[in-house]
């Protein structure tokens, strides 16, 4: 899915991963709970906050699932999955009259499939043989 690959490209730069800012202009980057608090910040666009939460959860659940299990106070990876699906569903409702609505509804429905795809990509990218090939092919 092109949208998932776009997330990988966007989040390759840390400024895009932590693009939400509080009213003082500071990055909101502590945890998912901080991002969820951003939903209530009046100066932020609610649709963009929810979309970012969905993208953030998809990125971390797909590429760093082991790290999420350490977030026991939040409920681990299952919590991230539930928040992602909720965020994408809300965006689809907000976009009900616009073409992207179907994209976010679909992302909400097939989130687990996207996570599995990102897990496969992570395994591929961390495989020593693949790393060797990349090193040999870069000139």
């Amino acid at each position: 899915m092109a949208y998932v690959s776009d997330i990988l490209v966007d989040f390759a730069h840390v400024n895009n991963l932590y693009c939400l800012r509080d009213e003082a202009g500071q990055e909101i980057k502590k945890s998912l709970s901080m991002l969820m608090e951003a939903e209530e910040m009046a100066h932020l666009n609610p649709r963009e906050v929810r979309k970012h939460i969905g993208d953030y959860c998809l990125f971390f659940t797909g590429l760093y699932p082991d790290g999420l299990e350490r977030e026991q106070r939040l409920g681990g990876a299952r919590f991230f999955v539930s928040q992602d699906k909720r965020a994408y569903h809300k965006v689809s409702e907000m976009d009900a009259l616009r073409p992207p609505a179907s994209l976010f509804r679909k992302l909400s429905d097939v989130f687990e499939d996207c996570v599995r795809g990102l897990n496969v990509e992570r395994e591929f990218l961390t495989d020593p043989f693949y790393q060797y090939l990349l090193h040999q092919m870069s000139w």
Side-chain angles (χ1 to χ4, degrees), residues 27-73:
E27 293 176 339
I28 301 170
K29 64 180 186 179
K30 302 247 180 193
S31 68
L32 179 58
S33 59
M34 291 287 286
L35 288 176
M36 290 169 44
E37 289 175 17
E39 287 182 322
E40 306 304 321
M41 292 182 183
H43 73 285
L44 296 175
N45 178 323
R47 181 199 178 275
E48 292 306 311
V49 171
R50 287 183 174 101
K51 179 184 169 295
H52 185 72
I53 288 172
D55 295 348
Y56 180 91
C57 291
L58 178 59
F59 180 78
F60 278 102
T61 306
L63 293 179
Y64 303 106
D66 301 337
L68 298 181
E69 290 307 324
R70 286 180 256 155
E71 290 282 345
Q72 289 303 317
R73 62 187 170 78

Side-chain angles (χ1 to χ4, degrees), residues 93-104:
E93 288 176 344
M94 291 175 172
D95 288 352
L97 301 176
R98 297 191 286 178
S102 62
L103 168 68
F104 292 104

Side-chain angles (χ1 to χ4, degrees), residues 62-98:
L63 293 179
Y64 303 106
D66 301 337
L68 298 181
E69 290 307 324
R70 286 180 256 155
E71 290 282 345
Q72 289 303 317
R73 62 187 170 78
L74 292 177
R78 277 181 279 163
F79 179 74
F80 277 72
V81 169
S82 69
Q83 292 306 306
D84 180 278
K85 293 177 94 168
R86 181 178 146 258
Y88 281 148
H89 183 74
K90 294 266 190 193
V91 171
S92 75
E93 288 176 344
M94 291 175 172
D95 288 352
L97 301 176
R98 297 191 286 178

Side-chain angles (χ1 to χ4, degrees), residues 78-134:
R78 277 181 279 163
F79 179 74
F80 277 72
V81 169
S82 69
Q83 292 306 306
D84 180 278
K85 293 177 94 168
R86 181 178 146 258
Y88 281 148
H89 183 74
K90 294 266 190 193
V91 171
S92 75
E93 288 176 344
M94 291 175 172
D95 288 352
L97 301 176
R98 297 191 286 178
S102 62
L103 168 68
F104 292 104
R105 194 169 22 265
K106 180 90 170 174
L107 281 169
S108 177
D109 293 341
V110 297
F111 176 74
E112 289 86 353
D113 294 335
C114 294
V115 167
R116 280 191 289 278
L118 287 172
N119 287 172
V120 169
E121 182 66 23
R122 179 179 62 118
E123 293 299 318
F124 185 66
L125 291 173
T126 58
D127 182 79
F129 180 72
Y130 176 73
Q131 294 297 317
Y132 172 77
L133 285 178
L134 279 178

